[in-house]
Structure formats: structure tokens, C-alpha cells
Amino acid sequence: MEEWGSRRRPLPVLLLWVNGLMTLGFAGARQQTELCNESLMLEKLPACGKFFEEMMKKVDSKKWCNLTEFIMYYDNFTQCTEREANNASCFWPNPLAEGFITGIHKQFFSNCTSEKVHWEDPPDEILITLILIPVMLTCAMITLVVWCSKRSDIL
């Protein structure tokens, strides 16, 4: 009996040890031990913006609102900002990086407002048809159900 009691004591110690290993990242979790160097990140981000600006000069300014014209440049820009934020031990996106990206958006895409769609009713002939078809089908189905329920000898 005493042998059983001595075997149970190491179990809580083992569980605490495993919990400690998992907390330290032994199970694959990566902890960020360095603090974000915001000044380094803010120093490096303008290089990303400068490169994007140079690439956007190749695109006609009338096409700046068409994403397909510059999607590769924009992808390089976002990857650059993410890389520089990570190099400064900062997560991405963060408020400072978002502020920088917003500034780039204001510089290049401030005139890209979406036009509001003006909805109109269809012509009366089409509207009447679209209303009457479901009403007629509903009446036909009700008639069919009532007729079949009165003729239970067929079923």
C-alpha cells in the first residue's frame, strides 16, 4: 500500500515540469522577448514608401484607382513594411505602421472614391411579370394540394 502512495507523488511534479516546458515555448510556441524598437521601424518604413513611390511613377496617374495596374507594387510595399516591422521586433500591422500606410494611401489614392450606384426600378412590364409569376405558382400549388387531398383514393 505504501508503494502506491510513493508512486503518486511524482505525478504532480511531472505535470508541473511539463507545464513549465510548454510555457517556455518547448511545445512550439514562440515568445517575443525583445521590445518593439519603434524608432528603428519609423526610420526604415520611409524606404518602403520611397520605393513604392518610384514604382507608382511608372503607372499613369489616371490608372491609380485601378488596383490591377499596380497590385505587384502594392504587394511589395506591404511586404516591405511587414519585414521592417519584424526587423524592429514589432508586430505587424501596428498603429505606427498603419499610420504610415494610411499616409501612403492619402498620397496616392485620395481621389479614388467609389461612385454610388443609383438603383432604379425595372420597367413596369418586367416588374409585373416578376410579381405575378410567384403569385400564380403559389395559387397553382395550393389548388393542386387541395385537389389531391380531396382525392385520397388515388394516393
Side-chain angles (χ1 to χ4, degrees):
M1 187 76 166
E2 201 169 311
E3 187 177 321
W4 172 252
S6 65
R7 286 187 184 175
R8 285 188 356 180
R9 287 186 188 156
L11 184 62
V13 174
L14 179 66
L15 290 175
L16 285 173
W17 181 71
V18 169
N19 186 30
L21 287 176
M22 291 182 74
T23 304
L24 291 174
F26 185 73
R30 185 177 144 228
Q31 292 181 343
Q32 186 173 357
T33 56
E34 298 178 37
L35 293 175
C36 175
N37 189 344
E38 294 176 348
S39 59
L40 176 64
M41 183 184 62
L42 289 176
E43 182 181 311
K44 298 290 184 177
L45 285 180
C48 299
K50 187 71 173 166
F51 181 73
F52 181 70
E53 186 176 342
E54 290 173 9
M55 292 295 109
M56 287 300 284
K57 287 180 182 176
K58 296 178 180 179
V59 179
D60 183 18
S61 62
K62 295 174 184 171
K63 297 181 179 180
W64 282 1
C65 296
N66 185 358
L67 187 61
T68 58
E69 296 290 328
F70 61 88
I71 188 68
M72 291 301 295
Y73 305 143
Y74 191 81
D75 181 51
N76 291 337
F77 169 69
T78 55
Q79 287 181 9
C80 180
T81 58
E82 183 175 4
R83 183 177 53 251
E84 294 303 338
N86 289 334
N87 288 343
S89 300
C90 301
F91 62 92
W92 187 91
N94 60 57
L96 293 174
E98 286 177 354
F100 179 75
I101 293 169
T102 302
I104 293 293
H105 279 215
K106 286 179 182 176
Q107 179 181 352
F108 288 100
F109 312 122
S110 61
N111 293 331
C112 298
T113 56
S114 61
E115 297 177 13
K116 289 191 174 187
V117 178
H118 180 68
W119 295 98
E120 293 182 15
D121 287 336
D124 287 342
E125 299 83 26
I126 295 175
L127 188 62
I128 290 171
T129 305
L130 290 173
I131 292 172
L132 288 180
I133 288 176
V135 170
M136 295 299 221
L137 283 174
T138 303
C139 291
M141 292 304 291
I142 291 172
T143 304
L144 184 63
V145 167
V146 170
W147 182 71
C148 285
S149 66
K150 288 185 176 183
R151 299 204 40 165
S152 60
D153 58 334
I154 295 176
L155 301 174

